[in-house]
Amino acid sequence: MSALPPPLEAGRPIPDVSVAEVSGAPLALRSLASQGPVLLFFHKADCPATAVAGPVLPRFAGLSGLGLVAVSQDGAEEAAAFASACGWAGAVRLLRDLEP
């Protein structure tokens, strides 16, 4: 098993990672920061920590200027179902990780 990279420190640039809209359109994760501060939430539907944290994510929508982005490690249908169950509609931008 390979070692995980260290967490990204606040204020550091977002790594150049390829993600996609749920529709499949590719997107560079780094491009999200050009619109201001972004809270990135990486998740997988069968992860116990995700099940607890996912429904809390929309509470951050009230913070002025903060973009909320959830990056799913699941397929498009499972990611959309999880987002719906968590109540993210309109508050959280949903993307998919292209390299699980």
Side-chain angles (χ1 to χ4, degrees):
M1 180 185 279
S2 62
L4 294 174
L8 190 63
E9 295 175 19
R12 298 279 316 253
I14 295 173
D16 194 18
V17 176
S18 295
V19 293
E21 300 285 351
V22 173
S23 65
L27 177 74
L29 191 62
R30 185 176 284 174
S31 69
L32 298 173
S34 66
Q35 300 163 5
V38 178
L39 174 70
L40 297 172
F41 178 69
F42 291 86
H43 65 95
K44 186 152 179 61
D46 62 357
C47 169
T50 294
V52 171
V56 177
L57 190 58
R59 293 183 185 178
F60 291 94
L63 296 177
S64 179
L66 181 64
L68 301 179
V69 177
V71 181
S72 176
Q73 295 177 331
D74 298 306
E77 288 181 20
E78 191 171 9
F82 184 79
S84 178
C86 289
W88 293 352
V92 179
R93 184 174 181 181
L94 182 60
L95 304 174
R96 290 186 308 117
D97 189 352
L98 293 177
E99 296 181 32

